[in-house]
Structures are given as structure tokens and as C-alpha cells.
Amino acid sequence: MSGSLSLVATPIGNLADITLRALDVLRAADLVVCEDTRHTRILLAHYGIDKPLMSLHQHNERQATLKILAELEKGKHIALVADAGTPGISDPGAYAVSAVRRAGFPITPIPGPNAAIAALSISGFTGPFHFVGFLPAKAKSRQAEIATLKAIPALLVFYEAPHRIKETLADLVAGLESVREIFIARELTKRFEECTRLPLTEAPRWLEADENRQRGEFVLIVSAPPDHKKARCDGERLLALLLEELPVSQAARIAAKFTGEAKHDLYAKALARKGG
Ligand code: SAM
């Protein structure tokens, strides 16, 4: 019988978040390939499963893939899991999957938890999303990537670790339009789960307000960029209404806050309307 590889999603915190099929596949596997064997042993022990484990991480992915191929040749059934969530999503696995596919063995997904999808489902945001995962660790590269992401007409979905959350939020505020909103999901499915949706510019203050907020794991979802064409029309209509009641500078300031358009552009338009 041919060997097979299953990519099995596992919990992102709460050990109860595992599917019946995932447990069946883990019980039937000849070998479980995982990131950290200690971590996966805890999960398997919780469900009374005892299997040989083999570690695959970003530093040994090639070597581990050769071993996986050798086991598949012998007709073995292999389950590949990550430390948390869906393997291959901001986690190792893609290299092994490509090699196994090229070698012609069947590959099956066993779907389940994923932090990004869990956060999206409770964000209240709709529409297309662009999954970024982790931004670069170095400030310059991170800021450069945010600048390229700015033009994407979709929600932006990030993963972030506690030691970089402060810098990342500051860079998002500095690099993206202030009219955007952010949904912050911290410690999903865990004891200290906490989520909030607020204007992007308020995110650093939210983080600082409680030192516990800088702990744990984060998904950040930033709303899509403002529709500049629509904002221009809305801005001009709003400006016309405000100018009926207010002086030019005040009208321009309020219209700029509402639309995200530059205040000096709206000020010039307001002056032109007034014939000044
Ligand atoms: N493969 C995983 C998945 O399917 O979601 C993601 C693995 S990635 C190495 C780890 C990152 O996912 C964390 O740094 C965090 O950004 C996010 N994450 C994982 N578990 C989370 C949780 N319980 N709450 C919030 N974010 C989480």
C-alpha cells in the first residue's frame, strides 16, 4: 500500500479545539512529524496517543524531508503537525509538501484551527483580505514592507509575537492612513483571550494601558485603505455643507478628519469655493 502524508491542524491554545478526524488520523499514523516534540507530546498525551515523533523545523526541513520520503517509500502513513494551528501557515511544511507532491505520494489536509481565520471571523470586517503573516523583524525592512502593503485594496492580516507588538503597532500607525481601523486579537481560545477593534491611531495607547496586553500571541487585522475617489466626492459634499456654517479653516479640518484627505488640499478647495 502507498504511503501518505496528512497535514493535521491542531489547537491554537485550547486543547479541546481538535477535530474528530484529526484524532483519527493521529491515532492511525505510523509517524507524527512536528516542530517541537515536547510540545506535540503534550497534545498527544492529552488524547492518550503514543506515536513515534520526528522533528521538522526551519533549520532541518531538507534533511527531515528526506526521512519523510524514505518512510513514505516504505508505505508509512505520516501526520505532519505544527506547534499550533494549521501546518504550513507561517509555519514550516511547504518544502516537505512540495517534495512529497513531486514524488507522487497522496497529501491530505485535515482542516481545523487557524489563528488568522479565527480572528477574522470575530473582527466584523468583511471583504477581501491579504494574509501577510509576520512582518520582517528589522525596523527598516518592516517599514518598507508596510509601505508596499499600503496600496493593497484589502484587509491586511498580520501575525505578531509579544516582543515586537509595540514596534509593529507604531510602524503600522506611522505607515498607514489614520482613517483605518484595527482589530487586535490576543491569546485566542486561551485563558486571557482579549480582543478589541479601534481606530488604528489609538492602538499604541490601548497596548500601553495595561502591561498584560504586551503578553501573549497576536493577530492584527487592519481595515482596507480608504476609497480615495469616493472620499474625494464625500469630502467635497461635506466641505460645501460645512462652509455654510463654519469658517474655512474649521470646515477644512473637520472634512479632513472625516475623509482622511490632506487638510491643506481641503483648505485650498474651501478657499476656491469661497472665491478666496
Ligand atoms: N500555523 C499557525 C496558524 O495556523 O494560525 C500560526 C503559526 S505562527 C508560527 C504563530 C503566530 O500565530 C503567533 O505569533 C500569533 O501571531 C499567531 N497565533 C497563534 N496562536 C494564537 C492565538 N491563540 N491567539 C492569537 N494569535 C495566535
Side-chain angles (χ1 to χ4, degrees):
M1 218 170 71
S2 163
S4 67
L5 177 67
S6 301
L7 271 79
V8 183
T10 57
I12 57 169
N14 187 324
L15 289 187
D17 290 333
I18 190 158
T19 68
L20 297 175
R21 188 165 169 234
L23 291 174
D24 284 347
V25 169
L26 289 168
R27 283 194 188 105
D30 298 301
L31 172 68
V32 176
V33 176
C34 57
E35 282 186 83
D36 181 338
T37 52
R38 288 162 305 179
H39 188 96
T40 298
R41 220 179 286 284
I42 293 171
L43 174 72
L44 295 186
H46 184 79
Y47 287 101
I49 301 171
D50 183 17
K51 291 285 165 182
L53 299 180
M54 184 183 103
S55 158
L56 177 149
H57 45 75
Q58 64 181 83
H59 304 296
N60 77 345
E61 201 165 2
R62 280 162 198 261
Q63 262 176 304
T65 297
L66 291 177
K67 286 191 197 156
I68 290 173
L69 288 171
E71 292 302 311
L72 292 173
E73 288 291 348
K74 292 184 212 159
K76 302 284 177 169
H77 296 294
I78 300 180
L80 192 155
V81 302
D83 277 352
T86 303
I89 308 299
S90 289
D91 265 328
Y95 179 85
V97 165
S98 300
V100 169
R101 189 176 304 290
R102 271 197 307 276
F105 293 103
I107 304 174
T108 310
I110 311 296
N114 167 259
I117 297 299
L120 273 163
S121 74
I122 56 161
S123 69
F125 289 136
T126 56
F129 65 87
H130 177 87
F131 177 70
V132 181
F134 291 101
L135 282 164
K138 292 212 170 105
K140 271 215 164 129
S141 320
R142 187 167 59 235
Q143 288 153 10
E145 182 157 344
I146 291 171
T148 66
L149 293 170
K150 190 173 175 181
I152 294 176
L155 303 168
L156 299 174
V157 183
F158 303 95
Y159 281 163
E160 197 46 279
H163 60 281
R164 264 202 293 274
I165 186 69
K166 197 170 161 193
E167 288 82 349
T168 292
L169 286 180
D171 286 342
L172 289 173
V173 170
L176 299 174
E177 301 88 340
S178 54
V179 285
R180 296 212 202 194
E181 280 186 283
I182 188 168
F183 181 72
I184 304 176
R186 185 173 87 83
E187 294 288 85
L188 287 169
T189 78
K190 301 187 198 175
R191 181 158 170 222
F192 296 109
E193 176 178 301
E194 185 180 17
C195 297
T196 185
R197 178 168 154 177
L198 69 179
L200 177 59
T201 51
E202 286 173 24
R205 212 174 319 139
W206 177 85
L207 192 73
E208 296 288 344
D210 178 347
E211 64 179 29
N212 288 321
R213 288 188 179 150
Q214 295 192 32
R215 300 205 175 115
E217 304 190 86
F218 296 84
V219 179
L220 307 174
I221 305 177
V222 178
S223 63
D227 179 340
H228 290 298
K229 222 160 119 198
K230 182 172 178 300
R232 251 197 313 280
C233 292
D234 286 352
E236 290 191 13
R237 267 188 47 223
L238 178 68
L239 194 62
L241 287 173
L242 290 171
L243 282 171
E244 287 173 14
E245 310 286 337
L246 297 170
V248 168
S249 66
Q250 218 176 334
R253 193 172 64 244
I254 294 172
K257 270 194 187 158
F258 186 77
T259 61
E261 257 195 273
K263 189 182 146 202
H264 56 83
D265 288 347
L266 287 163
Y267 186 78
K269 281 180 196 165
L271 278 183
R273 274 183 182 271
K274 284 272 184 189

PDB file of all heavy atoms in Angstrom, residues 105-131:
ATOM      1  N   PHE A 105       3.304  11.037  -3.902  1.00  0.00           N
ATOM      2  CA  PHE A 105       2.519  10.451  -2.803  1.00  0.00           C
ATOM      3  C   PHE A 105       1.286  11.319  -2.516  1.00  0.00           C
ATOM      4  O   PHE A 105       1.352  12.547  -2.664  1.00  0.00           O
ATOM      5  CB  PHE A 105       3.371  10.355  -1.528  1.00  0.00           C
ATOM      6  CG  PHE A 105       4.504   9.382  -1.648  1.00  0.00           C
ATOM      7  CD1 PHE A 105       5.797   9.830  -1.858  1.00  0.00           C
ATOM      8  CD2 PHE A 105       4.260   8.011  -1.565  1.00  0.00           C
ATOM      9  CE1 PHE A 105       6.841   8.934  -1.981  1.00  0.00           C
ATOM     10  CE2 PHE A 105       5.301   7.108  -1.687  1.00  0.00           C
ATOM     11  CZ  PHE A 105       6.604   7.568  -1.900  1.00  0.00           C
ATOM     12  N   PRO A 106       0.185  10.692  -2.072  1.00  0.00           N
ATOM     13  CA  PRO A 106      -1.012  11.491  -1.766  1.00  0.00           C
ATOM     14  C   PRO A 106      -0.809  12.385  -0.527  1.00  0.00           C
ATOM     15  O   PRO A 106      -0.170  11.973   0.438  1.00  0.00           O
ATOM     16  CB  PRO A 106      -2.102  10.443  -1.507  1.00  0.00           C
ATOM     17  CG  PRO A 106      -1.396   9.150  -1.325  1.00  0.00           C
ATOM     18  CD  PRO A 106      -0.031   9.253  -1.922  1.00  0.00           C
ATOM     19  N   ILE A 107      -1.361  13.594  -0.615  1.00  0.00           N
ATOM     20  CA  ILE A 107      -1.283  14.554   0.510  1.00  0.00           C
ATOM     21  C   ILE A 107      -2.707  14.995   0.834  1.00  0.00           C
ATOM     22  O   ILE A 107      -3.445  15.410  -0.059  1.00  0.00           O
ATOM     23  CB  ILE A 107      -0.455  15.796   0.113  1.00  0.00           C
ATOM     24  CG1 ILE A 107       0.931  15.371  -0.363  1.00  0.00           C
ATOM     25  CG2 ILE A 107      -0.340  16.766   1.280  1.00  0.00           C
ATOM     26  CD1 ILE A 107       1.771  16.502  -0.912  1.00  0.00           C
ATOM     27  N   THR A 108      -3.060  14.913   2.104  1.00  0.00           N
ATOM     28  CA  THR A 108      -4.438  15.246   2.502  1.00  0.00           C
ATOM     29  C   THR A 108      -4.430  16.306   3.596  1.00  0.00           C
ATOM     30  O   THR A 108      -3.702  16.157   4.580  1.00  0.00           O
ATOM     31  CB  THR A 108      -5.141  13.986   3.088  1.00  0.00           C
ATOM     32  OG1 THR A 108      -4.955  12.927   2.172  1.00  0.00           O
ATOM     33  CG2 THR A 108      -6.615  14.211   3.311  1.00  0.00           C
ATOM     34  N   PRO A 109      -5.251  17.360   3.435  1.00  0.00           N
ATOM     35  CA  PRO A 109      -5.373  18.315   4.553  1.00  0.00           C
ATOM     36  C   PRO A 109      -6.416  17.825   5.554  1.00  0.00           C
ATOM     37  O   PRO A 109      -7.459  17.303   5.168  1.00  0.00           O
ATOM     38  CB  PRO A 109      -5.869  19.586   3.854  1.00  0.00           C
ATOM     39  CG  PRO A 109      -6.681  19.078   2.711  1.00  0.00           C
ATOM     40  CD  PRO A 109      -6.085  17.741   2.291  1.00  0.00           C
ATOM     41  N   ILE A 110      -6.113  17.979   6.823  1.00  0.00           N
ATOM     42  CA  ILE A 110      -7.114  17.698   7.871  1.00  0.00           C
ATOM     43  C   ILE A 110      -7.361  19.058   8.531  1.00  0.00           C
ATOM     44  O   ILE A 110      -6.654  19.463   9.456  1.00  0.00           O
ATOM     45  CB  ILE A 110      -6.587  16.663   8.904  1.00  0.00           C
ATOM     46  CG1 ILE A 110      -5.992  15.423   8.201  1.00  0.00           C
ATOM     47  CG2 ILE A 110      -7.692  16.277   9.881  1.00  0.00           C
ATOM     48  CD1 ILE A 110      -6.975  14.592   7.391  1.00  0.00           C
ATOM     49  N   PRO A 111      -8.358  19.797   8.006  1.00  0.00           N
ATOM     50  CA  PRO A 111      -8.510  21.205   8.416  1.00  0.00           C
ATOM     51  C   PRO A 111      -8.956  21.368   9.864  1.00  0.00           C
ATOM     52  O   PRO A 111      -9.537  20.464  10.452  1.00  0.00           O
ATOM     53  CB  PRO A 111      -9.572  21.740   7.457  1.00  0.00           C
ATOM     54  CG  PRO A 111     -10.139  20.586   6.742  1.00  0.00           C
ATOM     55  CD  PRO A 111      -9.358  19.351   7.062  1.00  0.00           C
ATOM     56  N   GLY A 112      -8.665  22.548  10.389  1.00  0.00           N
ATOM     57  CA  GLY A 112      -9.031  22.843  11.777  1.00  0.00           C
ATOM     58  C   GLY A 112      -8.587  24.241  12.134  1.00  0.00           C
ATOM     59  O   GLY A 112      -8.609  25.137  11.290  1.00  0.00           O
ATOM     60  N   PRO A 113      -8.133  24.449  13.385  1.00  0.00           N
ATOM     61  CA  PRO A 113      -7.829  25.803  13.850  1.00  0.00           C
ATOM     62  C   PRO A 113      -6.780  26.538  13.032  1.00  0.00           C
ATOM     63  O   PRO A 113      -5.837  25.931  12.512  1.00  0.00           O
ATOM     64  CB  PRO A 113      -7.299  25.566  15.267  1.00  0.00           C
ATOM     65  CG  PRO A 113      -7.883  24.271  15.685  1.00  0.00           C
ATOM     66  CD  PRO A 113      -7.986  23.447  14.443  1.00  0.00           C
ATOM     67  N   ASN A 114      -6.998  27.846  12.934  1.00  0.00           N
ATOM     68  CA  ASN A 114      -6.020  28.765  12.327  1.00  0.00           C
ATOM     69  C   ASN A 114      -6.264  30.119  12.976  1.00  0.00           C
ATOM     70  O   ASN A 114      -7.404  30.603  12.997  1.00  0.00           O
ATOM     71  CB  ASN A 114      -6.221  28.819  10.802  1.00  0.00           C
ATOM     72  CG  ASN A 114      -5.467  29.966  10.173  1.00  0.00           C
ATOM     73  OD1 ASN A 114      -6.040  31.007   9.867  1.00  0.00           O
ATOM     74  ND2 ASN A 114      -4.178  29.795  10.014  1.00  0.00           N
ATOM     75  N   ALA A 115      -5.205  30.733  13.493  1.00  0.00           N
ATOM     76  CA  ALA A 115      -5.371  31.968  14.270  1.00  0.00           C
ATOM     77  C   ALA A 115      -5.940  33.104  13.416  1.00  0.00           C
ATOM     78  O   ALA A 115      -6.798  33.865  13.874  1.00  0.00           O
ATOM     79  CB  ALA A 115      -4.029  32.372  14.881  1.00  0.00           C
ATOM     80  N   ALA A 116      -5.459  33.231  12.166  1.00  0.00           N
ATOM     81  CA  ALA A 116      -5.912  34.336  11.311  1.00  0.00           C
ATOM     82  C   ALA A 116      -7.412  34.229  11.019  1.00  0.00           C
ATOM     83  O   ALA A 116      -8.152  35.211  11.128  1.00  0.00           O
ATOM     84  CB  ALA A 116      -5.119  34.339  10.002  1.00  0.00           C
ATOM     85  N   ILE A 117      -7.855  33.014  10.682  1.00  0.00           N
ATOM     86  CA  ILE A 117      -9.273  32.830  10.331  1.00  0.00           C
ATOM     87  C   ILE A 117     -10.148  33.008  11.573  1.00  0.00           C
ATOM     88  O   ILE A 117     -11.224  33.605  11.509  1.00  0.00           O
ATOM     89  CB  ILE A 117      -9.498  31.435   9.683  1.00  0.00           C
ATOM     90  CG1 ILE A 117      -8.704  31.338   8.363  1.00  0.00           C
ATOM     91  CG2 ILE A 117     -10.977  31.154   9.447  1.00  0.00           C
ATOM     92  CD1 ILE A 117      -9.095  32.342   7.285  1.00  0.00           C
ATOM     93  N   ALA A 118      -9.666  32.522  12.722  1.00  0.00           N
ATOM     94  CA  ALA A 118     -10.431  32.694  13.965  1.00  0.00           C
ATOM     95  C   ALA A 118     -10.611  34.192  14.248  1.00  0.00           C
ATOM     96  O   ALA A 118     -11.708  34.652  14.581  1.00  0.00           O
ATOM     97  CB  ALA A 118      -9.713  32.009  15.122  1.00  0.00           C
ATOM     98  N   ALA A 119      -9.532  34.973  14.077  1.00  0.00           N
ATOM     99  CA  ALA A 119      -9.611  36.418  14.336  1.00  0.00           C
ATOM    100  C   ALA A 119     -10.528  37.098  13.312  1.00  0.00           C
ATOM    101  O   ALA A 119     -11.377  37.918  13.684  1.00  0.00           O
ATOM    102  CB  ALA A 119      -8.213  37.033  14.298  1.00  0.00           C
ATOM    103  N   LEU A 120     -10.371  36.737  12.038  1.00  0.00           N
ATOM    104  CA  LEU A 120     -11.223  37.347  11.004  1.00  0.00           C
ATOM    105  C   LEU A 120     -12.701  37.110  11.310  1.00  0.00           C
ATOM    106  O   LEU A 120     -13.532  37.998  11.135  1.00  0.00           O
ATOM    107  CB  LEU A 120     -10.890  36.752   9.630  1.00  0.00           C
ATOM    108  CG  LEU A 120      -9.757  37.419   8.866  1.00  0.00           C
ATOM    109  CD1 LEU A 120      -9.257  36.516   7.739  1.00  0.00           C
ATOM    110  CD2 LEU A 120     -10.187  38.777   8.296  1.00  0.00           C
ATOM    111  N   SER A 121     -13.001  35.899  11.796  1.00  0.00           N
ATOM    112  CA  SER A 121     -14.410  35.538  11.996  1.00  0.00           C
ATOM    113  C   SER A 121     -15.078  36.401  13.057  1.00  0.00           C
ATOM    114  O   SER A 121     -16.286  36.570  13.032  1.00  0.00           O
ATOM    115  CB  SER A 121     -14.533  34.051  12.344  1.00  0.00           C
ATOM    116  OG  SER A 121     -14.101  33.826  13.679  1.00  0.00           O
ATOM    117  N   ILE A 122     -14.305  36.942  13.996  1.00  0.00           N
ATOM    118  CA  ILE A 122     -14.935  37.772  15.042  1.00  0.00           C
ATOM    119  C   ILE A 122     -14.570  39.251  14.897  1.00  0.00           C
ATOM    120  O   ILE A 122     -14.868  40.043  15.776  1.00  0.00           O
ATOM    121  CB  ILE A 122     -14.594  37.279  16.472  1.00  0.00           C
ATOM    122  CG1 ILE A 122     -13.079  37.211  16.693  1.00  0.00           C
ATOM    123  CG2 ILE A 122     -15.266  35.968  16.777  1.00  0.00           C
ATOM    124  CD1 ILE A 122     -12.703  37.188  18.162  1.00  0.00           C
ATOM    125  N   SER A 123     -13.917  39.612  13.771  1.00  0.00           N
ATOM    126  CA  SER A 123     -13.494  41.014  13.620  1.00  0.00           C
ATOM    127  C   SER A 123     -14.652  41.911  13.205  1.00  0.00           C
ATOM    128  O   SER A 123     -14.630  43.113  13.463  1.00  0.00           O
ATOM    129  CB  SER A 123     -12.373  41.123  12.576  1.00  0.00           C
ATOM    130  OG  SER A 123     -12.897  40.852  11.284  1.00  0.00           O
ATOM    131  N   GLY A 124     -15.640  41.327  12.531  1.00  0.00           N
ATOM    132  CA  GLY A 124     -16.721  42.150  11.993  1.00  0.00           C
ATOM    133  C   GLY A 124     -16.338  42.816  10.689  1.00  0.00           C
ATOM    134  O   GLY A 124     -17.168  43.476  10.057  1.00  0.00           O
ATOM    135  N   PHE A 125     -15.110  42.662  10.245  1.00  0.00           N
ATOM    136  CA  PHE A 125     -14.711  43.205   8.938  1.00  0.00           C
ATOM    137  C   PHE A 125     -15.201  42.244   7.849  1.00  0.00           C
ATOM    138  O   PHE A 125     -15.252  41.028   8.063  1.00  0.00           O
ATOM    139  CB  PHE A 125     -13.186  43.292   8.818  1.00  0.00           C
ATOM    140  CG  PHE A 125     -12.544  44.353   9.670  1.00  0.00           C
ATOM    141  CD1 PHE A 125     -11.388  44.072  10.388  1.00  0.00           C
ATOM    142  CD2 PHE A 125     -13.063  45.642   9.734  1.00  0.00           C
ATOM    143  CE1 PHE A 125     -10.758  45.039  11.160  1.00  0.00           C
ATOM    144  CE2 PHE A 125     -12.448  46.621  10.513  1.00  0.00           C
ATOM    145  CZ  PHE A 125     -11.297  46.317  11.221  1.00  0.00           C
ATOM    146  N   THR A 126     -15.521  42.799   6.685  1.00  0.00           N
ATOM    147  CA  THR A 126     -15.876  41.933   5.551  1.00  0.00           C
ATOM    148  C   THR A 126     -15.006  42.304   4.362  1.00  0.00           C
ATOM    149  O   THR A 126     -14.278  43.290   4.411  1.00  0.00           O
ATOM    150  CB  THR A 126     -17.348  42.102   5.125  1.00  0.00           C
ATOM    151  OG1 THR A 126     -17.548  43.485   4.837  1.00  0.00           O
ATOM    152  CG2 THR A 126     -18.311  41.639   6.188  1.00  0.00           C
ATOM    153  N   GLY A 127     -15.154  41.555   3.298  1.00  0.00           N
ATOM    154  CA  GLY A 127     -14.429  41.870   2.066  1.00  0.00           C
ATOM    155  C   GLY A 127     -13.135  41.094   1.965  1.00  0.00           C
ATOM    156  O   GLY A 127     -12.800  40.306   2.846  1.00  0.00           O
ATOM    157  N   PRO A 128     -12.398  41.303   0.864  1.00  0.00           N
ATOM    158  CA  PRO A 128     -11.176  40.524   0.650  1.00  0.00           C
ATOM    159  C   PRO A 128     -10.124  40.830   1.708  1.00  0.00           C
ATOM    160  O   PRO A 128     -10.094  41.933   2.250  1.00  0.00           O
ATOM    161  CB  PRO A 128     -10.691  40.990  -0.730  1.00  0.00           C
ATOM    162  CG  PRO A 128     -11.402  42.253  -1.011  1.00  0.00           C
ATOM    163  CD  PRO A 128     -12.655  42.280  -0.202  1.00  0.00           C
ATOM    164  N   PHE A 129      -9.283  39.827   1.992  1.00  0.00           N
ATOM    165  CA  PHE A 129      -8.182  40.074   2.931  1.00  0.00           C
ATOM    166  C   PHE A 129      -6.867  39.587   2.349  1.00  0.00           C
ATOM    167  O   PHE A 129      -6.836  38.658   1.551  1.00  0.00           O
ATOM    168  CB  PHE A 129      -8.450  39.443   4.301  1.00  0.00           C
ATOM    169  CG  PHE A 129      -8.518  37.950   4.315  1.00  0.00           C
ATOM    170  CD1 PHE A 129      -7.372  37.177   4.474  1.00  0.00           C
ATOM    171  CD2 PHE A 129      -9.742  37.293   4.183  1.00  0.00           C
ATOM    172  CE1 PHE A 129      -7.439  35.792   4.492  1.00  0.00           C
ATOM    173  CE2 PHE A 129      -9.820  35.904   4.191  1.00  0.00           C
ATOM    174  CZ  PHE A 129      -8.659  35.160   4.349  1.00  0.00           C
ATOM    175  N   HIS A 130      -5.806  40.258   2.757  1.00  0.00           N
ATOM    176  CA  HIS A 130      -4.461  39.907   2.306  1.00  0.00           C
ATOM    177  C   HIS A 130      -3.719  39.378   3.535  1.00  0.00           C
ATOM    178  O   HIS A 130      -3.500  40.130   4.486  1.00  0.00           O
ATOM    179  CB  HIS A 130      -3.783  41.159   1.739  1.00  0.00           C
ATOM    180  CG  HIS A 130      -2.374  40.917   1.306  1.00  0.00           C
ATOM    181  ND1 HIS A 130      -2.055  40.467   0.048  1.00  0.00           N
ATOM    182  CD2 HIS A 130      -1.212  41.050   1.955  1.00  0.00           C
ATOM    183  CE1 HIS A 130      -0.743  40.338  -0.044  1.00  0.00           C
ATOM    184  NE2 HIS A 130      -0.209  40.682   1.100  1.00  0.00           N
ATOM    185  N   PHE A 131      -3.342  38.083   3.491  1.00  0.00           N
ATOM    186  CA  PHE A 131      -2.660  37.494   4.645  1.00  0.00           C
ATOM    187  C   PHE A 131      -1.163  37.775   4.532  1.00  0.00           C
ATOM    188  O   PHE A 131      -0.500  37.313   3.599  1.00  0.00           O
ATOM    189  CB  PHE A 131      -2.922  35.989   4.695  1.00  0.00           C
ATOM    190  CG  PHE A 131      -2.183  35.320   5.815  1.00  0.00           C
ATOM    191  CD1 PHE A 131      -2.552  35.540   7.135  1.00  0.00           C
ATOM    192  CD2 PHE A 131      -1.096  34.498   5.567  1.00  0.00           C
ATOM    193  CE1 PHE A 131      -1.858  34.944   8.185  1.00  0.00           C
ATOM    194  CE2 PHE A 131      -0.394  33.894   6.609  1.00  0.00           C
ATOM    195  CZ  PHE A 131      -0.789  34.130   7.916  1.00  0.00           C
TER     196      PHE A 131
END
